[in-house]
Amino acid sequence: PAGCRQLADATMDENNPYKDFLSEFVTSSGRRLRFVDLQTLGGAKYQRLPFCVRVLLESAVRNCDEFQVKSRHVEDILNWLEAKDGQVEVPFRPARVILQDFTGVPAVVDFAAMRDAVESLGGDPSKINPVCPADLVVDHSVQADVVRRSDAVSKNQEIEFQRNKERFQFLKWGAKALENMTIVPPGSGIVHQVNLEYLSRAVFLVDDFVYPDSLVGTDSHTTMINGMGVLGWGVGGIEAEATMLGQAITMVLPHVLGYRLTGTVGSLVTSTDVVLTITKHLRQVGVVGKFVEFFGPGVEQLSIADRATISNMCPEYGATVGYFPADQMTIKYLRQTGRSDEQLEYIERYLKLSGMFRNFNNSDEDPTFSEIVELDLSTVVSSLSGPKRPQDRIAVTDMKQDFQRCLDSKVGFKGFNIDRERQGDRMPFVFEGQNFEIGHGSVVISAITSCTNTSNPSVMLGAGLLAKKAIEHGLSVPSYVKTSLSPGSGVVTYYLKESGVTPFLEQLGFHIIGYGCMTCIGNSGPLPEPVAEAIEKGDLVTVGILSGNRNFEGRIHPLTRANYLASPLLVIAYAIAGRVSIDFECEPLGVSSDGRDVFLKDVWPTREEIQAVEREFVVPAIFKEVYSKISHGTPMWQSLDAPDDLLYPWDKRSTYIQKPAFFEGMTREIQPKQSIEGAYVLLNLGDSVTTDHISPAGSIARNSPAARYLASCGLTPREFNSYGSRRGNDSVMARGTFANVRLANKFLPRLGPKTVYIPTGELVCCCGAGAGDVSCLLCRV
């Protein structure tokens, strides 16, 4: 490429057959940076590759050692056009790994156990460290215990530390003891938003060698980073740990669907509406196991935050990745989020020289795809998704009728089978000295939550502007509705405050309550007791409405049988209305203080209004301010004592952190594999089985095997915490596998986390049947 000089040196492994394809460029400061010259290597074939496949190719070329990554793998990727629909396996070595604490704690537990094993075999335990850089963000532990108060953040953090002190001490040990691992303390934000705003390198620079940032993560929404041109996706814990230890991921060369965007988003439409539309569309197309790459002139209309919202919900539309190649908007975002001029220079230079930077308005740059589908952004309308799946999109104009159909329909993804004579039931209750009543369709949880939307200033500021107009019209939210605002980073707090919308959000009950996943992951906390009693007594189908990415049954709260995903603006609108059985076109949102009907259109801000505020208040200085002190953590984190030992001092009394039995009896000699014989079917499951069913992360039911185990350890129900928080203890997690209360096992006539132990026909919990030990009193039904 122009401006580059061919090199032949030992930057890559001396046995790398592609070491002659190195080039360099010189920065404005005179620094010479080397890179793999893929355009020279691949020629015309390279120019036709989807941009996501180019990242796979670069990794294969740079890491080619003829052991894990072989030259034939490079040729297979380069010849993607011929092999794209075959079953060609290739290795991929991502640049880094990212973890959140629910899945990160067991990974660190395994590293600690490996150190013990190495020492017991006479080795040096200090050598056990991640080989591939790893970032762990503590974001899944904080719960919405305290809401609607100005001190909610500090109160929830205090409770979080009380519940999770052992886990946090262990992670703090890991931060000190393990090399090549960064741990971002609790209270900093949500992993994917912190990744987008701070952790992402866009381009790695190591020893004057540049290459694309790429990653795998132990969370399915790792794909959010695809929105800024960084390739990444979610994997299981075992795959992530193998990657951390330097092993390549083996994958089938992907089928790449090109998703062409045209047109312009309407002035009253949000990025949430766009992603819910795309999610439904791609579910209908069928993209499970495929890569999706976005292209077309419509992409130019989307900010990086908009693109990240679309990429975040990639698991919900079923693809492995939802990739937006880097462009000038990427550089603009990196500048906005406080990256240095030096970084911006080498990032842009490298991406252009390597053919990984594109102009979406230039169709000559469009690569060849396995197939192409299209969406005209001008056709997108205000939407929600639910009541039980993210792909079940409903236009806001159809919401009232759709909910009625759900009440009428038989039990299923779109049905609750409520008798007609019961659909008008209202249950009275008293809350904080006031009389209220709720019925089917009443909103009881309203949460602005999740990195899906809180990473996007346009929808967050839009919510703030809507709140301002609502207050000015004299509207309010019923006091029994559990309202909350849990941003994905401290940056959100800054721009909401500086733009002047925070007081209006708080007057509607949307106080900031913490920095973490919270309601989206199921950490919604308890409902007010009078509300919970009314729901249970009336057997009501009540509603949670949230700006999250998942709404599967039993995930958000056990008492909200209907849950809808929506933009932060609609979250507030439905909270004010107090119900989802409303037609905003012809029914008022509420009544003003002077008795006038106020409609949604009266308080809804336009896209132009929102963008004007965003341009003024979302500036690089706030990102630099927030992230300059992110590693320090809160005062509680700073004062937390943690061991300094090379080996972790296990406490056998701990119910959070236990040494796993994987390495017991390990010898230096590899033992022969043993066959599995005489196994029985554990469960007979249908469609839409999710990780929430397989290994739930939410609250531990009081009648569950895990609860009985914890009670036998001397804990009270209020100390149980969640399944996710106890993933460092295999004794809890074995009892938590398939423990979702909404599990549909075809062996049984009703929902529940149970199964039939085939040898005896007994009805038992899944862990007892799986272990073949139905005599365990802690596992009996």
Side-chain angles (χ1 to χ4, degrees):
C4 291
R5 182 167 60 85
Q6 287 294 112
L7 296 174
D9 62 19
T11 302
M12 294 191 292
D13 186 276
E14 61 180 12
N15 295 319
N16 191 313
Y18 300 99
K19 63 182 180 181
D20 292 337
F21 288 95
L22 287 175
S23 290
E24 73 172 17
F25 62 89
V26 182
T27 67
S28 59
S29 64
R31 190 173 183 182
R32 294 183 180 276
L33 301 181
R34 301 175 176 84
F35 68 99
V36 176
D37 186 354
L38 295 174
Q39 300 205 67
T40 300
L41 170 66
K45 283 185 178 180
Y46 181 74
Q47 303 303 327
R48 296 167 64 195
L49 291 178
F51 283 73
C52 54
V53 175
R54 299 179 192 190
V55 180
L56 300 178
L57 177 64
E58 192 282 338
S59 174
V61 173
R62 177 167 40 86
N63 292 293
C64 187
D65 57 4
E66 298 297 1
F67 177 62
Q68 288 197 73
V69 184
K70 299 182 179 181
S71 53
R72 65 176 173 83
H73 295 134
V74 172
E75 298 304 315
D76 285 339
I77 300 173
L78 190 57
N79 292 315
W80 173 85
L81 285 170
E82 290 76 37
K84 58 185 171 63
D85 293 319
Q87 291 294 306
V88 179
E89 286 193 352
V90 295
F92 175 53
R93 294 194 65 177
R96 60 189 173 101
V97 174
I98 196 161
L99 313 99
Q100 34 89 338
D101 56 305
F102 274 12
T103 49
V105 165
V108 179
V109 164
D110 288 349
F111 272 88
M114 279 188 274
R115 282 193 168 183
D116 286 356
V118 168
E119 186 186 54
S120 69
L121 294 172
D124 180 2
S126 67
K127 292 182 178 180
I128 300 298
N129 295 289
V131 174
C132 181
D135 301 310
L136 190 158
V137 180
V138 183
D139 68 346
H140 275 47
S141 302
V142 64
Q143 299 188 28
D145 292 293
V146 179
V147 299
R148 286 179 172 256
R149 288 170 45 169
S150 58
D151 62 350
V153 171
S154 60
K155 291 296 182 183
N156 285 325
Q157 286 182 348
E158 286 175 17
I159 298 169
E160 177 189 20
F161 269 76
Q162 290 168 7
R163 287 186 179 128
N164 296 280
K165 184 178 179 181
E166 279 185 64
R167 298 173 67 242
F168 292 170
Q169 286 176 321
F170 175 69
L171 286 174
K172 200 166 185 179
W173 167 82
K176 293 187 291 185
L178 296 173
E179 300 173 8
N180 219 16
M181 173 176 275
T182 300
I183 293 182
V184 177
S188 303
I190 302 174
V191 56
H192 308 305
Q193 187 164 342
V194 174
N195 190 23
L196 192 73
E197 295 175 350
Y198 175 68
L199 293 173
S200 174
R201 285 73 159 175
V203 169
F204 261 79
L205 171 57
V206 179
D207 296 331
D208 291 334
F209 196 95
V210 285
Y211 54 93
D213 186 6
S214 61
L215 66 151
V216 291
T218 55
D219 188 283
S220 55
H221 296 101
T222 298
T223 52
M224 184 172 185
I225 202 65
N226 296 169
M228 64 177 291
V230 175
L231 188 66
W233 63 88
V235 296
I238 294 174
E239 279 186 288
E241 288 184 37
T243 303
M244 291 165 71
L245 290 168
Q247 184 171 322
I249 290 174
T250 299
M251 58 184 290
V252 174
L253 203 58
H255 176 110
V256 183
L257 180 144
Y259 199 93
R260 188 170 188 266
L261 295 174
T262 61
T264 303
V265 176
S267 65
L268 300 180
V269 172
T270 69
S271 59
T272 314
D273 303 321
V274 174
V275 72
L276 296 181
T277 302
I278 290 173
T279 298
K280 181 176 182 178
H281 184 200
L282 285 177
R283 272 290 174 185
Q284 293 170 335
V285 170
V287 291
V288 173
K290 299 176 183 179
F291 281 21
V292 173
E293 181 168 306
F294 294 89
F295 74 110
V299 178
E300 290 279 347
Q301 312 299 319
L302 303 175
S303 68
I304 294 300
D306 292 337
R307 299 175 195 180
T309 297
I310 295 168
S311 294
N312 178 282
M313 287 193 69
C314 178
E316 282 64 57
Y317 46 81
T320 302
V321 301
Y323 188 71
F324 289 85
D327 68 341
Q328 205 58 52
M329 193 71 77
T330 309
I331 304 302
K332 178 182 177 182
Y333 179 80
L334 291 169
R335 179 174 289 108
Q336 181 188 46
T337 51
R339 270 70 167 197
S340 69
D341 289 341
E342 180 187 13
Q343 287 176 293
L344 295 173
E345 182 187 2
Y346 72 70
I347 289 170
E348 185 170 0
R349 288 282 301 280
Y350 168 71
L351 291 174
K352 288 181 175 179
L353 291 169
S354 62
M356 296 188 192
F357 191 93
R358 71 159 305 171
N359 175 359
F360 288 101
N361 283 322
N362 183 1
S363 60
D364 291 339
E365 295 182 8
D366 292 348
T368 302
F369 295 107
S370 306
E371 60 178 313
I372 293 175
V373 295
E374 187 168 326
L375 174 69
D376 181 350
L377 292 171
S378 67
T379 65
V380 176
V381 298
S382 293
S383 304
L384 306 89
S385 280
K388 302 179 184 182
R389 297 190 304 181
Q391 64 263 39
D392 293 328
R393 186 190 68 83
I394 315 119
V396 170
T397 52
D398 298 332
M399 182 62 190
K400 183 176 182 177
Q401 297 89 336
D402 189 86
F403 185 74
Q404 180 62 53
R405 285 193 293 270
C406 288
L407 293 180
D408 292 335
S409 300
K410 67 179 182 179
V411 174
F413 295 129
K414 294 286 287 185
F416 298 103
N417 196 27
I418 304 299
D419 293 337
R420 276 288 178 130
E421 58 270 21
R422 287 192 50 233
Q423 291 182 13
D425 289 354
R426 307 288 293 176
M427 298 304 298
F429 63 95
V430 178
F431 179 67
E432 295 181 343
Q434 289 184 276
N435 294 315
F436 296 99
E437 61 178 27
I438 55 175
H440 297 292
S442 291
V443 174
V444 294
I445 290 178
S446 181
I448 299 176
T449 181
S450 172
C451 52
T452 308
N453 284 288
T454 68
S455 62
N456 195 326
S458 68
V459 292
M460 296 301 289
L461 288 168
L465 292 173
L466 186 147
K468 180 176 183 292
K469 294 184 179 186
I471 292 298
E472 290 170 349
H473 279 82
L475 301 181
S476 62
V477 174
S479 59
Y480 63 82
V481 177
K482 188 164 188 178
T483 49
S484 61
L485 197 170
S486 49
S489 82
V491 169
V492 180
T493 304
Y494 268 74
Y495 66 66
L496 291 179
K497 180 180 178 181
E498 292 301 314
S499 62
V501 299
T502 297
F504 301 103
L505 288 163
E506 292 180 346
Q507 287 178 65
L508 291 178
F510 289 91
H511 295 74
I512 292 176
I513 64 166
Y515 300 92
C517 299
M518 303 190 87
T519 300
C520 186
I521 193 63
N523 289 350
S524 53
L527 289 174
E529 196 61 36
V531 177
E533 289 177 359
I535 294 170
E536 292 179 313
K537 186 176 180 180
D539 191 24
L540 299 176
V541 179
T542 54
V543 175
I545 185 160
L546 65 152
S547 61
N549 47 43
R550 286 190 172 170
N551 55 344
F552 304 125
E553 286 186 280
R555 177 183 176 96
I556 306 306
H557 192 283
L559 295 179
T560 56
R561 290 158 65 184
N563 296 281
Y564 291 91
L565 306 181
S567 69
L569 294 85
L570 284 176
V571 168
I572 295 177
Y574 279 103
I576 293 171
R579 57 193 171 97
V580 294
S581 54
I582 181 173
D583 184 346
F584 286 131
E585 294 289 309
C586 55
E587 296 180 63
L589 187 62
V591 179
S592 68
S593 51
D594 60 1
R596 290 182 297 106
D597 285 345
V598 180
F599 290 84
L600 182 59
K601 64 184 178 182
D602 298 326
V603 297
W604 193 273
T606 66
R607 198 170 179 88
E608 291 72 26
E609 286 179 85
I610 296 167
Q611 288 173 343
V613 177
E614 182 177 352
R615 281 192 297 270
E616 183 175 357
F617 294 104
V618 184
V619 294
I622 62 175
F623 290 90
K624 292 177 180 177
E625 170 67 20
V626 168
Y627 287 113
S628 65
K629 51 194 177 186
I630 192 170
S631 61
H632 301 162
T634 63
M636 284 181 287
W637 175 264
Q638 293 173 19
S639 63
L640 192 65
D641 290 328
D644 292 316
D645 310 69
L646 177 65
L647 303 178
Y648 183 71
W650 307 96
D651 180 358
K652 292 184 178 180
R653 297 167 298 176
S654 173
T655 55
Y656 279 105
I657 307 296
Q658 281 296 325
K659 182 179 179 180
F662 302 139
F663 302 106
E664 290 180 5
M666 175 178 275
T667 63
R668 285 179 173 270
E669 296 74 31
I670 298 176
Q671 300 300 308
K673 294 180 181 178
Q674 295 183 345
S675 299
I676 297 174
E677 298 177 353
Y680 298 97
V681 174
L682 178 65
L683 297 157
N684 183 9
L685 306 177
D687 295 334
S688 292
V689 177
T690 72
T691 52
D692 279 359
H693 295 99
I694 299 167
S695 183
S699 59
I700 298 173
R702 295 189 180 193
N703 62 345
S704 65
R708 289 192 286 274
Y709 166 78
L710 292 171
S712 75
C713 297
L715 274 64
T716 61
R718 64 177 297 183
E719 298 171 306
F720 288 170
N721 208 334
S722 63
Y723 282 111
S725 68
R726 293 190 178 274
R727 284 180 175 165
N729 183 345
D730 58 286
S731 293
V732 175
M733 291 318 300
R735 293 172 171 85
T737 304
F738 294 109
N740 190 303
V741 296
R742 309 299 294 177
L743 184 72
N745 180 6
K746 294 181 181 180
F747 285 159
L748 305 177
R750 63 184 65 87
L751 301 177
K754 303 171 186 177
T755 195
V756 174
Y757 184 54
I758 293 176
T760 64
E762 292 178 83
L763 181 66
V764 297
C765 70
C766 298
C767 58
D773 181 16
V774 296
S775 65
C776 175
L777 295 179
L778 298 178
C779 294
R780 294 304 290 256
V781 174

